[in-house]
Amino acid sequence: ALHCGLQALQFPPPPISVDPLAEALEIAPLHTPQLVIEEAEKMGNCCALFIQAIHSGESYLYRVKKPERATLLLHREPSSWEWQVEEIGLRQNIGEVSARTENLIYYWIRQNKKMAQRLKTK
């Protein structure tokens, strides 16, 4: 569909698994363009602008539900091919997420990197 100029109904798989998560963190990958559009409408942000970047594997979006409602944008660094936090935005991008939310997200990313490295060495 992408080769014909049409967008696929589903994105590639999320780059970072949401299983397992710390009990205090609840997030969900936005794995379809429709979910991204709904997120943009609910959160009053511009995350729908990243639909093409998600299709191409440059970015990925997650809905953060707990400990506070936010949208998480990951971006793949071209030099290292590792996924990095680009932005964690609250509703209408007003203010910043709490230190607790930020710490839990970075912990989740580190834990997934460690698990991936363990799998590579087996």
Side-chain angles (χ1 to χ4, degrees):
L2 290 175
H3 297 292
C4 300
L6 302 173
Q7 298 218 343
L9 297 177
Q10 186 136 349
F11 293 134
I16 301 177
S17 173
V18 294
D19 187 36
L21 285 174
E23 187 177 313
L25 181 64
E26 185 178 341
I27 62 175
L30 300 177
H31 54 82
T32 67
Q34 185 59 39
L35 286 173
V36 171
I37 292 166
E38 289 171 10
E39 181 76 357
E41 290 171 357
K42 286 179 185 174
M43 293 298 286
N45 64 29
C46 64
C47 68
L49 296 176
F50 293 94
I51 289 175
Q52 189 54 45
I54 298 168
H55 275 298
S56 67
E58 297 171 37
S59 298
Y60 213 91
L61 286 161
Y62 292 82
R63 175 179 294 137
V64 180
K65 300 178 187 177
K66 182 178 158 187
E68 63 189 308
R69 188 67 174 86
T71 304
L72 170 63
L73 173 63
L74 298 181
H75 182 75
R76 189 193 320 242
E77 290 296 318
S79 58
S80 66
W81 292 98
E82 288 193 15
W83 290 92
Q84 305 291 328
V85 172
E86 181 77 17
E87 183 179 354
I88 310 169
L90 295 173
R91 188 175 312 279
Q92 297 179 337
N93 293 324
I94 297 173
E96 295 182 7
V97 294
S98 68
R100 181 170 189 246
T101 299
E102 192 171 331
N103 289 336
L104 284 167
I105 288 171
Y106 280 100
Y107 177 78
W108 161 67
I109 292 170
R110 281 192 309 275
Q111 289 304 108
N112 272 276
K113 284 182 184 179
K114 287 179 185 177
M115 285 193 310
Q117 288 171 347
R118 278 190 230 128
L119 291 174
K120 284 181 186 178
T121 59
K122 286 187 178 185

